[in-house]
Amino acid sequence: EREREREEAVVSTQSTGFRIVKKVEITGDAYTKVQFSLTNPAEYNLPVELVAIPEGHPVLKTLTGEVILPSREIVLAARDDTTQFDPESPGGQFDDDPDVVVSRRLNKVIFTVKVKRVEGAEEGPVRIGFVLRY
């Protein structure tokens, strides 16, 4: 039952175009940069803001990590099917924070957030949470 829930969660995040780029080891009490990719399925530029989960939300009790989110919104380029064969990136037209946005290609952006394990949290995978507001 638990495994099925995990599979459903993975499928739901993949269908939205939001993924972890590469798994990293989070150890000690220092922040580690974790890369995520986000793809815009819309045919218009899409501003996205990453915000903390609201106080009192039940998911907060299950989190085992702290996360530092970007202070500015990230604008995703519009999906344009005519550019799929064009290797040029629209990276120059956005005012990105270089500490957050790692790369852009067409309607996809790779960005980082800083994560660390909460002191006293159980061993195993670190669970973080945030809200994508668009």
Side-chain angles (χ1 to χ4, degrees):
E1 180 68 25
R2 195 104 159 109
E3 190 60 35
R4 188 175 62 96
E5 288 174 3
R6 284 187 190 149
E7 289 173 3
E8 288 173 2
V10 169
V11 169
S12 71
T13 58
Q14 288 177 353
S15 64
T16 60
F18 182 77
R19 297 190 175 110
I20 295 176
V21 173
K22 184 173 95 174
K23 290 183 182 180
V24 295
E25 192 70 30
I26 298 174
T27 58
D29 44 340
Y31 282 95
T32 301
K33 288 186 177 183
V34 179
Q35 291 184 354
F36 292 93
S37 71
L38 192 55
T39 304
N40 183 5
E43 294 178 354
Y44 50 86
N45 286 353
L46 185 67
V48 176
E49 187 179 7
L50 283 65
V51 295
I53 296 174
E55 283 294 320
H57 195 286
V59 77
L60 290 174
K61 296 177 185 174
T62 66
L63 303 181
T64 60
E66 291 179 23
V67 62
I68 296 177
L69 299 171
S71 58
R72 299 184 347 192
E73 69 183 16
I74 299 169
V75 179
L76 302 175
R79 186 187 88 217
D80 183 355
D81 295 334
T82 63
T83 62
Q84 67 180 336
F85 303 108
D86 184 7
E88 294 300 312
S89 171
Q93 50 181 282
F94 298 99
D95 182 27
D96 292 329
D97 179 348
D99 290 332
V100 175
V101 175
V102 175
S103 69
R104 291 182 169 274
R105 186 169 192 304
L106 303 175
N107 61 325
K108 179 178 181 178
V109 65
I110 296 176
F111 64 94
T112 62
V113 297
K114 295 177 183 174
V115 177
K116 78 173 184 176
R117 184 179 301 277
V118 173
E119 188 175 321
E122 63 188 47
E123 287 299 314
V126 174
R127 292 183 301 274
I128 61 168
F130 51 87
V131 176
L132 289 174
R133 184 181 297 157
Y134 57 94

